[in-house]
Amino acid sequence: DAMVIQNPRYQVTQFGKPVTLSCSQTLNHNVMYWYQQKSSQAPKLLFHYYDKDFNNEADTPDNFQSRRPNTSFCFLDIRSPGLGDAAMYLCATSRRTGAKNIQYFGAGTRLSVL
Amino acid sequence: GESVGLHLPTLSVQEGDNSIINCAYSNSASDYFIWYKQESGKGPQFIIDIRSNMDKRQGQRVTVLLNKTVKHLSLQIAATQPGDSAVYFCAENIRQGAQKLVFGQGTRLTINP
């Protein structure tokens, strides 16, 4: 059974039209992450929540926002998608225990911008 | 700065042979490393991890080696199978305030029948 669930799997939006991607988890992990992954590249961390504490990466554009209303759900909002935002968006969770930081990923949402 | 990179972007091996995927990292303060496997259209899947105080760790058909002297990490897959075809990423755990993983470039492993 999937433990990190992303919806939808595929999302098509228009240039400049706001879009929201969803992630939910059944692991009760306290940390949730959003990554952007472009074709043939490594995942790039956008931001993460440690419980309710939001941590933004320095180079994440302001166009990207996130919400975590509760432990199980986290949303990625792209306020005005550009063509360069077309990518796979991955959600991951972890339960930080000491030095270990094993992150469990969802299947991703592939975003297309027309 | 921090970076994790791979020497070989693609690797092609014969089915049944052993595969070795390499990774170089630059942050000497990293305390933990992970290998992930990503199949087409899926999210990365955890394979094996290793703490910085170890130099070798074995799993089922996989072995990770860590050489801190030269900042090198490798993943060995024994008796490679068609299902091993994927992109493999190494990731380095760094602590700069918040703890986070930095992913390497990735190596695409293809299996020849």
Side-chain angles (χ1 to χ4, degrees), chain A residues 2-5 23-32 68 70-74 91-94:
Chain A
M3 296 176 289
V4 182
I5 303 162
C23 178
S24 64
Q25 55 137 336
T26 59
L27 299 165
N28 202 34
H29 283 172
N30 56 336
V31 192
M32 294 187 77
R68 190 180 185 185
N70 53 53
T71 300
S72 300
F73 285 86
C74 196
C91 174
T93 73
S94 72

Side-chain angles (χ1 to χ4, degrees), chain B residues 71-84:
Chain B
K71 296 179 186 173
H72 184 266
L73 193 69
S74 68
L75 176 70
Q76 300 178 3
I77 305 173
T80 312
Q81 304 169 357
D84 295 327

